[in-house]
Amino acid sequence: MNPVAALRTRVDGWFLSRRPPSDTIELTQRNVYIVPTRAGWMLGATLLVLLIASINYQLNLGYLLTFLLAGSVAVGMHVCHGTLRGLAMHLIAPDAQYAGTAAVFRVVLHNARRGVRYGIGLSVRGSGQWAWADVPAEGSETVEVAFRPSTRGLHAVPPLTAETRFPLGTFRVWTVWRPAARVLVYPSPEPHPPPLPPGEPLAGQASSAVATSQIAGEYDGVRAYRRGDPLKLVVWKKAARAQATGSSELVSRDTQQAQRQELWLDAQAAGLPELEARLSRLCAWVLMADRLGVDYGLRVGALQVKPAQGEAHRRRCLEVLATC
């Protein structure tokens, strides 16, 4: 490894370790820093040349121009530092995401000052992707920032950088913020999964019970709609949801099958050698079973979630897949 890069990484880790994690931060002189930008260094060099030339040629107008520009730079430095100093930021924790998709979280900027704060940028530290906003006087502004976790699991929200270069662009005022929130990342669902596995006989039922059809939807008391089915057997809630998404899929209840079979999504039944591929298929099956509105259970190694349905059950199954 490059010694300079290694030293920079070590210093960066030491610097971040001194920032206590918190979902709310108020910027003060202790945590706001200021450095000249490239344009600021060029302006400083220009002022130095003007001063030397004015001294050498005894130019009174040169002195006037030099000190006028220097005074403007000093005022700009004060205004730039004050634009960020005194600002309060609050992180709204992101919702759970699937691996490979962008996790978007919102940061609320609170301005208690009577003046507007212009040109405040926020980004994930080191990403180079900035979101800019103006915070109104005695008001708030919400900024959305995103990062893309590549693997499943429970991830900490990465450190954030806030900065401003208002009003002249000659100084960069910045701060580093370590949020305490975490984001849960589910496995990425398989794009084209096979049909749901066949149902298993309920406890106490004969092992010779009729096997469940391999057509997706014919599980645990629900099957694909067949012409001639009574209207009272149609699951209208699922029909309305399918119509909202532009689909014409209808399902009917199958009471006899519901008495014999229950659907278990088992990692061993996924039929894939790699763990991440099996979890990806299980994730797709969970979403498929939830969309069909059937009762389903989940088995991953020693972990087991009993058959049920609904939003809370779906989240529970996805959490198991994310953290197993």
Side-chain angles (χ1 to χ4, degrees):
M1 180 180 292
N2 189 338
V4 176
L7 178 61
R8 181 178 300 175
T9 302
R10 187 171 181 178
V11 172
D12 188 67
W14 171 82
F15 176 75
L16 289 177
S17 66
R18 296 174 57 86
R19 319 295 299 181
S22 174
D23 287 339
T24 302
I25 185 173
E26 184 174 357
L27 304 182
T28 64
Q29 302 93 304
R30 292 177 173 270
N31 51 24
V32 174
Y33 312 98
I34 181 170
V35 292
T37 61
R38 182 177 301 179
W41 287 113
M42 291 296 297
L43 180 57
T46 302
L47 291 176
L48 181 61
V49 171
L50 286 175
L51 180 61
I52 293 174
S54 300
I55 294 174
N56 187 48
Y57 293 101
Q58 293 296 310
L59 298 175
N60 292 331
L61 291 179
Y63 286 123
L64 177 62
L65 177 61
T66 301
F67 293 123
L68 179 61
L69 290 177
S72 300
V73 171
V75 172
M77 178 178 64
H78 176 75
V79 172
C80 188
H81 193 269
T83 299
L84 207 59
R85 187 184 67 249
L87 188 70
M89 299 188 294
H90 172 68
L91 174 71
I92 300 177
D95 297 328
Q97 302 292 329
Y98 295 97
T101 61
V104 180
F105 51 93
R106 294 174 295 167
V107 177
V108 182
L109 309 179
H110 300 280
N111 178 20
R113 199 172 63 183
R114 295 183 179 180
V116 180
R117 298 176 185 265
Y118 294 99
I120 296 177
L122 202 66
S123 77
V124 173
R125 190 163 187 260
S127 68
Q129 303 294 326
W130 292 90
W132 298 91
D134 298 332
V135 187
E138 298 181 340
S140 301
E141 181 67 23
T142 301
V143 180
E144 291 187 349
V145 184
F147 77 104
R148 188 182 299 273
S150 58
T151 59
R152 64 182 177 89
L154 190 61
H155 295 262
V157 174
L160 305 178
T161 299
E163 77 165 45
T164 183
R165 304 189 183 194
F166 178 84
L168 300 178
T170 53
F171 289 92
R172 175 177 178 258
V173 177
W174 58 282
T175 188
V176 175
W177 177 24
R178 284 183 61 201
R182 295 178 176 270
V183 55
L184 185 64
V185 180
Y186 302 142
S188 176
E190 187 177 4
H192 303 289
L196 293 171
E200 299 180 6
L202 291 172
Q205 297 292 329
S207 60
S208 60
V210 180
T212 305
S213 173
Q214 295 296 320
I215 302 176
E218 299 191 9
Y219 303 95
D220 199 16
V222 178
R223 56 172 173 78
Y225 175 79
R226 299 169 184 167
R227 181 177 297 182
D229 284 346
L231 295 180
K232 64 180 181 180
L233 294 182
V234 176
V235 185
W236 293 109
K237 181 184 295 186
K238 301 301 175 185
R241 185 182 304 174
Q243 185 177 9
T245 58
S247 173
S248 58
E249 179 182 7
L250 293 177
V251 292
S252 300
R253 296 182 179 87
D254 190 344
T255 56
Q256 292 183 355
Q257 181 175 302
Q259 295 174 0
R260 298 191 305 266
Q261 304 286 331
E262 61 182 0
L263 176 61
W264 281 95
L265 307 179
D266 197 326
Q268 300 299 326
L272 294 172
E274 298 182 358
L275 174 62
E276 295 302 324
R278 292 199 298 268
L279 296 179
S280 179
R281 177 164 295 180
L282 287 175
C283 180
W285 279 349
V286 167
L287 298 179
M288 185 186 302
D290 179 73
R291 185 172 62 251
L292 293 173
V294 301
D295 288 352
Y296 60 94
L298 180 67
R299 295 194 193 107
V300 183
L303 299 176
Q304 179 173 300
V305 181
K306 294 183 179 180
Q309 62 175 282
E311 178 69 19
H313 181 65
R314 178 179 64 85
R315 286 200 305 266
R316 171 59 181 155
C317 291
L318 292 177
E319 289 174 3
V320 170
L321 294 177
T323 56
C324 66

